[in-house]
Amino acid sequence: MSEAVADAAALGEGDAGPLCLPLDICQVLVHDLPRARDRDAALQCIDGVRRRLLGEGLLTVNIDASPPDARDGDTIELQRVWTSDAAAYPIGGRKRKTLTPWTRQLLRGAQIFVGEGDAALSEVFDDHALIASLGLRAIVNVPLLDARGRCVATFNLLGTRPTWQPQELALVQLLALLATPWVLNAG
């Protein structure tokens, strides 16, 4: 069994229970999402599902806007291409990140990052005061991968809960997977 399959199987074990989506949510994802006219409409659809299943929070999507010849360098330029809260986190916002454990894990290693609680957020994010002011206490950053398995964008969900349950993490990763073609093929 592959490591990914083992990890997915482990999410269904224990007290968390299986991930089961309501029929109306499944209908939105299989009927409405494929018919979205563009990236914005698709991400609005995905965010509607996120809000219904996970409650209040903030969803943003960032792309790696580093120059092509600098993609393996020590600095990463991220640009926000979608947000559920344009007042706090406007589209077009940019962040320059240096190599840290977070950037190595998420952006270079293409591995999910889970940050839970105020201390974890303040350790990783320069904008932790703004995050806290919005009542957000936990984050899941999911790498969006190109065909070569490289992280070229991130699906970032912040929630008001202090911790994530395993089935919530599985749902966020599923929503990120559904967002991937809309983000990568938007031009």
Side-chain angles (χ1 to χ4, degrees):
M1 181 170 13
S2 77
E3 185 176 326
V5 171
D7 289 346
L11 286 175
E13 295 175 358
D15 297 334
L19 176 63
C20 184
L21 299 177
L23 181 59
D24 63 322
I25 294 293
C26 292
Q27 290 173 331
V28 166
L29 294 174
V30 301
H31 184 269
D32 298 348
L33 182 59
R35 290 168 177 78
R37 66 188 177 286
D38 57 22
R39 174 175 60 198
D40 185 58
L43 290 173
Q44 284 179 13
C45 180
I46 289 168
D47 190 49
V49 168
R50 186 267 313 166
R51 286 175 189 266
R52 167 101 188 278
L53 297 176
L54 297 172
E56 289 304 309
L58 169 70
L59 175 62
T60 66
V61 176
N62 297 331
I63 60 168
D64 184 344
S66 304
D69 60 342
R71 292 265 161 101
D72 292 322
D74 291 343
T75 304
I76 301 144
E77 183 87 20
L78 297 175
Q79 181 175 0
R80 193 173 310 105
V81 295
W82 198 86
T83 181
S84 63
D85 184 349
Y89 286 91
I91 291 174
R94 286 183 173 254
K95 296 180 183 183
R96 176 163 278 151
K97 297 289 189 177
T98 59
L99 291 182
T100 65
W102 178 82
T103 56
R104 285 183 182 94
Q105 177 179 332
L106 176 68
L107 303 172
R108 294 292 189 247
Q111 299 296 314
I112 186 174
F113 173 82
V114 178
E116 298 176 314
D118 299 331
L121 295 177
S122 66
E123 183 179 319
V124 176
F125 300 106
D126 297 334
D127 57 345
H128 61 89
L130 175 57
I131 292 169
S133 76
L134 296 172
L136 304 170
R137 302 179 59 209
I139 190 166
V140 181
N141 299 118
V142 182
L144 304 184
L145 309 181
D146 67 10
R148 298 180 318 193
R150 294 175 51 125
C151 176
V152 294
T154 61
F155 185 93
N156 314 296
L157 178 60
L158 291 109
T160 57
R161 66 195 29 79
T163 60
W164 298 100
Q165 298 301 311
Q167 67 270 28
E168 293 171 329
L169 293 173
L171 176 62
V172 173
Q173 292 175 81
L174 175 63
L175 294 176
L177 179 66
L178 293 172
T180 298
W182 295 97
V183 174
L184 271 53
N185 298 325

